[in-house]
Amino acid sequence: MGSNFIQAFGSTHLYPITDQHISGLSHAEQVVLLNNCGATLIQLREKLDPPVKFFEQAESAVRVARDLGAKIIINDRVDIALAVKADGVHLGQEDLPPDAARRILGSEAIIGFSTHTLNQARLAAQMPVDYVAIGPIFSTTTKQSANAPVGLDGLARVREALGAIPLVAIGGITSENIGAVIKAGADVVAVIGDIWAPAKDSRVRIKRLLNYS
Ligand code: 3NM
């Protein structure tokens, strides 16, 4: 576990997440745009559409990603990840637990797990996951029910507790603060708003996040 996930990013540190409603683009269109800019592993996230619609969109996004050589992770839905033969699933604290997802998806699947406190991250480290996500790092308006921000110090403490387990930071991350987030211990950063927010040029934003220094 773990190494497939980190290897998929090459020398980049951006784990982009799709959002149809913010971007105004289908999941497949977002995958094409992200991959054209250099992103190699992409999470499809759909909180509003019914499963039948998300399934159809995910199926075409995975088809497109296969042709491009990109990997696709499905947010929340183990059933959809299995049905569309995605590369893995990203689970929240209230989704199917990682060990159950592992039984369904098998040993090769990438399984990620969201945590919001140091204690949750410590517990996640004992689970059959390929990466642990911690967030929100900063305040965010993208997720309505986001917990209190853990900040860069909280992120550094999670890094210390997790040792070599791949760590994803999420929540309020932009091209302005990505350098500090990586320096504090994240392997990669997951981003929605700074990529897709209206009136932002997504192509420029994605490249800035991919090429930060
Ligand atoms: N999960 P943005 S924060 C989807 O804390 C999500 O686990 C979070 O969007 C967590 O990049 C968050 O716009 C929102 O802040 C991320």
Side-chain angles (χ1 to χ4, degrees), residues 17 45 114-116 134-136 140-143 146-147 170-173 190-194:
I17 301 179
R45 182 173 185 267
S114 279
T115 68
H116 311 291
I134 179 76
T140 176
T141 51
T142 307
K143 185 176 179 178
N147 293 60
I170 186 165
I173 300 172
V191 178
I192 303 175
D194 195 52

Side-chain angles (χ1 to χ4, degrees), residues 8 16 30-32 34-36 38-43 61-73 85-87 110:
Q30 292 170 81
V31 167
V32 171
L34 287 161
N35 185 258
N36 283 347
T40 48
L41 186 149
I42 297 157
Q43 183 185 132
V62 165
R63 204 174 306 125
V64 161
R66 287 283 165 275
D67 290 343
L68 296 168
K71 288 195 190 304
I72 297 291
I73 306 296
K85 298 189 173 67
D87 297 281
I110 295 171

Side-chain angles (χ1 to χ4, degrees), residues 43-185:
Q43 183 185 132
L44 308 186
R45 182 173 185 267
E46 184 53 71
K47 295 288 188 186
L48 299 176
D49 277 359
V52 62
K53 269 190 142 178
F54 187 33
F55 164 72
E56 286 166 7
Q57 288 247 353
E59 196 166 46
S60 52
V62 165
R63 204 174 306 125
V64 161
R66 287 283 165 275
D67 290 343
L68 296 168
K71 288 195 190 304
I72 297 291
I73 306 296
I74 302 288
N75 183 268
D76 291 353
R77 303 292 304 237
V78 178
D79 51 353
I80 293 178
L82 183 67
V84 303
K85 298 189 173 67
D87 297 281
V89 70
H90 179 91
L91 301 166
Q93 290 282 323
E94 297 185 346
D95 295 322
L96 211 57
D99 63 336
R102 179 66 69 200
R103 275 182 256 153
I104 293 168
L105 297 177
S107 58
E108 295 302 305
I110 295 171
I111 296 181
F113 191 41
S114 279
T115 68
H116 311 291
T117 63
L118 179 58
N119 200 38
Q120 286 180 353
R122 283 202 176 108
L123 291 171
Q126 309 303 318
M127 299 177 185
V129 296
D130 294 270
Y131 69 87
V132 173
I134 179 76
I137 304 301
F138 307 113
S139 66
T140 176
T141 51
T142 307
K143 185 176 179 178
Q144 304 299 333
S145 58
N147 293 60
V150 300
L152 293 174
D153 291 346
L155 169 61
R157 279 192 285 276
V158 170
R159 167 84 283 163
E160 213 179 305
L162 257 51
I165 296 171
L167 180 58
V168 174
I170 186 165
I173 300 172
T174 68
S175 54
E176 277 74 48
N177 60 33
I178 180 173
V181 175
I182 298 292
K183 202 165 165 211

